[in-house]
Amino acid sequence: MGYKMICIDMDGTLLGKGKRISKESKDVIEKVHKKGVEIVVTTGRIYNNAAYYSHLLGVESPVIAANGAIVREKHTNKIIYENPIRTEQCIKLVEMLYKMKFYFHFYTVDGIYCGNPLTKVLTKVYMTKQVGYDNLKINYHVIKNIEEWKKFFEKTNGQITKCIAFSSNPDKIKVLKKELNKLEDVVYFGSGARSVEINNKGVSKGNAVKALADYYGFKREEIVCIGDNENDISMIEYAGFGVAMGNAIEEVKALADYITDTNKEDGVAKAIKKIFKL
């Protein structure tokens, strides 16, 4: 089977030591892309950050961001697929997070809206500084109270792609997940023991990969997906050939067709070399 698209997760997958893309990975990806294979950054990160890393790879393919809530062309900004969190659900979430005293933020395509200044500082550190590509700048904001949040959600109706809640106490995350189970129109993904990522119902990387495959007219058998964590499960299941990183959680490894090396040992590059016989 000739594979036509590779969908690659970022954190724990494409990003290795120092959260950087290694030269080896860049070189291998460039070789495959020149053969006509679409290379799709497929991440939970905010769209502008995902598009930035896609540009660093030197590929022309669209980007899947916010766990699959948005699929978008980088150069034309054409939206191929989107599934934002509805305003009423955003309000329910922010009320819940305030009540339970969580740190949190919400994403749009280019903005991260934080519940307090500390969250803003920590998020900016995590995202790392983007050099160049001014059109992909990430804007950081702080919204101070529930009433301001409600006005913000009404103003940005249809633009909220994801929410992330944080706590230093893993037990609080477990309690939050139980509360989220009571909400009918959201889905969540574990992201370590101290955070949870929340999207609109129906959002998944698998659904986003399918939407992009349909856009191109690709069969699922023509798609490779590479990942390591809970939000990658759906795309590993969907893929014609699923690759788990050596550092992946056991659920991902159990579903994968192949287990490569870790993200710090160029696992992505090694997998692509094997699959495409480079």
Side-chain angles (χ1 to χ4, degrees):
M1 171 62 69
Y3 295 111
K4 297 180 179 179
M5 183 163 74
I6 310 175
C7 298
I8 311 173
D9 172 53
M10 283 176 56
D11 293 286
T13 301
L14 182 60
L15 301 185
K17 296 174 182 177
K19 289 192 176 292
R20 295 177 180 175
I21 304 171
S22 71
K23 184 179 184 304
E24 174 73 2
S25 293
K26 285 183 181 179
D27 289 346
V28 170
I29 285 170
E30 183 181 5
K31 285 181 183 178
V32 175
H33 192 52
K34 283 182 176 178
K35 292 177 181 288
V37 178
E38 300 292 343
I39 304 293
V40 183
V41 169
T42 308
T43 179
R45 291 195 181 208
I46 187 172
Y47 172 81
N48 270 16
N49 189 243
Y52 170 75
Y53 276 98
S54 181
H55 278 303
L56 290 183
L57 287 172
V59 301
E60 301 297 320
S61 308
V63 168
I64 296 174
N67 290 330
I70 185 162
V71 185
R72 187 173 175 179
E73 292 273 11
K74 298 190 310 247
H75 302 290
T76 65
N77 290 329
K78 177 181 178 180
I79 294 174
I80 297 168
Y81 170 85
E82 63 179 343
N83 186 356
I85 307 176
R86 294 184 294 110
T87 297
E88 52 267 42
Q89 291 301 323
C90 287
I91 292 172
K92 287 180 181 179
L93 284 172
V94 81
E95 288 177 338
M96 179 185 294
L97 294 172
Y98 263 108
K99 183 178 179 180
M100 298 179 72
K101 297 182 179 179
F102 271 91
Y103 294 105
F104 63 89
H105 58 231
F106 286 79
Y107 286 176
T108 59
V109 168
D110 61 1
I112 299 179
Y113 296 80
C114 305
N116 60 51
L118 178 58
T119 303
K120 177 182 174 181
V121 170
L122 295 176
T123 302
K124 290 183 76 171
V125 170
Y126 175 79
M127 280 294 170
T128 67
K129 187 176 181 180
Q130 296 185 183
V131 180
Y133 303 105
D134 290 340
N135 61 315
L136 295 174
K137 180 181 177 183
I138 299 173
N139 301 298
Y140 297 87
H141 310 267
V142 176
I143 298 180
K144 298 177 181 178
N145 57 60
I146 288 181
E147 291 307 312
E148 286 188 17
W149 277 108
K150 288 179 179 178
K151 291 177 183 178
F152 166 70
F153 290 136
E154 290 168 0
K155 182 180 178 181
T156 55
N157 181 41
Q159 298 178 39
I160 303 299
T161 57
K162 190 176 85 167
C163 170
I164 308 180
F166 312 87
S167 175
S168 58
N169 184 349
D171 290 333
K172 279 190 69 175
I173 295 293
K174 292 178 183 178
V175 174
L176 175 60
K177 288 179 178 179
K178 290 180 180 179
E179 291 300 311
L180 290 171
N181 287 334
K182 299 175 184 178
L183 299 181
E184 294 182 356
D185 293 330
V186 299
V187 64
Y188 63 84
F189 303 95
S191 181
R194 293 177 172 80
S195 65
V196 61
E197 303 185 4
I198 307 163
N199 291 94
N200 203 53
K201 185 177 180 179
V203 167
S204 73
K205 288 186 178 182
N207 286 340
V209 172
K210 182 182 185 302
L212 188 54
D214 291 344
Y215 175 73
Y216 280 120
F218 295 160
K219 299 175 183 177
R220 65 189 298 178
E221 292 83 9
E222 298 172 321
I223 299 169
V224 175
C225 292
I226 309 175
D228 74 304
N229 215 333
E230 187 175 313
N231 61 353
D232 299 314
I233 288 173
S234 61
M235 73 171 183
I236 298 293
E237 287 179 316
Y238 176 78
F241 194 86
V243 178
M245 301 301 293
N247 52 286
I249 62 174
E250 290 305 315
E251 292 90 333
V252 173
K253 288 181 177 179
L255 290 167
D257 299 291
Y258 176 69
I259 300 173
T260 187
D261 212 332
T262 69
N263 62 316
K264 294 182 179 179
E265 299 296 334
D266 286 325
V268 168
K270 289 175 181 176
I272 293 174
K273 281 182 175 181
K274 179 178 176 63
I275 294 165
F276 290 87
K277 298 178 172 59
L278 297 178

